[in-house]
Amino acid sequence: MKPYKFILSGGGTGGHIYPAIAIANELKSHFPDAEFLFVGAQDKMEMQKVPQAGYEIEGLWIAGLQRKLTLQNAIFPLKLINSLWKSRNIIKKFKPNAVIGTGGFASGPLLQMANSLNIPTVIQEQNSYPGITNKLLSKKANAICVAYENLEQFFPSKKIVVTGNPVRQDILDIDSKRSEAITYFNLDDNKKTLLVIGGSLGARRINQLIAKEIEFFLHHNLQIIWQCGNLYMADYKQFSEIENVQVLSFIDRMDLIYAAADFVISRAGASSVSELCLVGKPVLFIPSPNVAEDHQTKNAKAIVEKNGALLLKESELDDKFESVFNKLIQDENLQNNLSQNIKKLAKPNATRDIVEQIIKLVESRKSNDFKT
């Protein structure tokens, strides 16, 4: 029997890339002889991150539509046609048993072409409010693995499987890593640690907030690990000269920093929310308002409605941040309740459950092909 072949597409941000890599790794554990190919946008971070994870990747000339009139928007139809044509050629050449999309610019044309060629497709929808591309692709997709309940208004209900989002497996047991984490990041074990994460690319408004509130944090005897993102490192690296403040462009050991953290300030991208449910630390979400359908706010509200986190909009930061954060760090009952409630929403077996759906799909297709 020929080995299975899988094409995965997910990119633009770490929130799309790392779930795709996690799914590929899990598939490889089931099928060691399987062949894998990733497809991404040719100028995005997946072109570096995927090869670093040990997989081949092809790039498409594709980008999203801008919210205003730009040259990029004017040439979008050309990029789309080019990407559809290249996707068709990639699929014809590689001959995958299934195509899996985790979001990002390249997923749209790739899965659209896979659907048109009658290749089984699986959508992994990470957000509580899907974007227009996945809504359109869902009509012909074979399975839609989602992280949130009640998405029947967007997708065909018979195709929906609630699995959760894939997460790094090394964060499943962070409680045993605290002492290692304190040493790794050179922290003071007698101080509480605030972790600030703005997503893989960084978050301008959160960076501005932390810079403004440094004295407030230090007054409360906190030490700060501040992931500002590559785009902003030059603007904020000087804050690392302050005692008990570390500014990092990227954190390579998220398992250890989660183990060390006592409080977290974070964006509300789907992967970050899913990881923080597993981590179970008190969280203040500050969603980005600059994303499609304001989906980060909806992701955060899904946790807040279960009393699992706090939420502040960017527009509320100047007026409310200090009072809300002060209550969080002073009220141990609030901290404990948030931790317990967010942990109840964790789905630690998400990657395994998604892969089970993929396996079921390809084995069913292979069985039918054999019969015919």
Side-chain angles (χ1 to χ4, degrees), residues 180-210:
E180 181 187 356
I182 296 295
T183 302
Y184 186 89
F185 287 100
N186 195 26
L187 296 167
D188 183 344
D189 203 15
N190 296 312
K191 290 180 181 289
K192 297 281 189 180
T193 301
L194 167 64
L195 169 63
V196 182
I197 42 179
S200 56
L201 301 178
R204 182 174 63 89
R205 187 65 185 91
I206 290 181
N207 287 336
Q208 291 172 342
L209 171 76
I210 303 306

Side-chain angles (χ1 to χ4, degrees), residues 32-231:
D33 297 330
E35 295 178 38
F36 296 88
L37 177 66
F38 280 68
V39 175
Q42 64 185 21
D43 58 346
K44 297 296 181 181
M45 64 187 289
E46 55 264 31
M47 302 308 291
Q48 286 79 45
K49 298 298 182 185
V50 168
Q52 286 171 10
Y55 295 102
E56 292 183 24
I57 186 167
E58 295 253 12
L60 302 181
W61 185 44
I62 189 68
L65 283 166
Q66 307 299 308
R67 295 187 178 189
K68 53 190 176 184
L69 287 173
T70 65
L71 177 62
Q72 291 298 318
N73 278 352
I75 63 174
F76 177 78
L78 180 61
K79 286 186 172 185
L80 181 59
I81 292 167
N82 179 279
S83 294
L84 285 166
W85 180 254
K86 187 169 182 182
S87 293
R88 184 179 188 278
N89 290 339
I90 289 170
I91 291 168
K92 286 276 194 181
K93 182 180 177 183
F94 191 73
K95 296 182 173 60
N97 296 93
V99 174
I100 302 108
T102 61
F105 302 134
S107 279
L110 182 77
L111 267 73
Q112 175 64 34
M113 193 51 66
N115 285 334
S116 72
L117 294 170
N118 199 31
I119 305 294
T121 61
V122 175
I123 294 170
Q124 197 267 310
E125 173 55 61
Q126 295 151 13
N127 293 296
S128 59
Y129 195 95
I132 188 168
T133 302
N134 275 356
K135 290 178 197 172
L136 293 171
L137 292 170
S138 70
K139 294 179 174 65
K140 292 189 176 179
N142 297 81
I144 306 158
C145 298
V146 302
Y148 295 89
E149 307 276 355
N150 305 315
L151 294 191
E152 291 81 5
Q153 58 184 311
F154 306 112
F155 298 136
S157 58
K158 64 179 185 234
K159 298 180 181 181
I160 295 175
V161 186
V162 180
T163 57
N165 284 323
V167 295
R168 314 162 210 259
Q169 295 304 292
D170 59 4
I171 69 169
L172 296 180
D173 181 31
I174 61 168
D175 290 344
S176 65
K177 299 180 179 181
R178 182 168 174 90
S179 61
E180 181 187 356
I182 296 295
T183 302
Y184 186 89
F185 287 100
N186 195 26
L187 296 167
D188 183 344
D189 203 15
N190 296 312
K191 290 180 181 289
K192 297 281 189 180
T193 301
L194 167 64
L195 169 63
V196 182
I197 42 179
S200 56
L201 301 178
R204 182 174 63 89
R205 187 65 185 91
I206 290 181
N207 287 336
Q208 291 172 342
L209 171 76
I210 303 306
K212 176 188 168 193
E213 300 290 351
I214 283 288
E215 291 302 323
F216 170 77
F217 297 134
L218 297 178
H219 174 73
H220 285 284
N221 202 31
L222 295 172
Q223 54 194 343
I224 305 162
I225 302 283
W226 173 7
Q227 181 256 319
C228 68
N230 284 327
L231 293 175

Side-chain angles (χ1 to χ4, degrees), residues 96 124 148 226 243 246 266 284 307 317 322 343 350 372:
Q124 197 267 310
Y148 295 89
W226 173 7
E243 190 177 0
Q246 296 182 50
S266 176
L284 170 62
N307 298 314
L317 293 177
E322 287 193 6
K343 278 183 178 178
T372 56

Side-chain angles (χ1 to χ4, degrees), residues 23 55-56 75 96 110 146 203 232 242 255 264 272 275 286 300 322 328 354 360:
I23 291 169
Y55 295 102
E56 292 183 24
I75 63 174
L110 182 77
V146 302
Y232 303 99
I242 301 172
D255 59 327
V264 182
S272 294
E275 287 189 355
I286 304 174
E322 287 193 6
L328 174 62
I354 292 165
K360 193 185 302 182

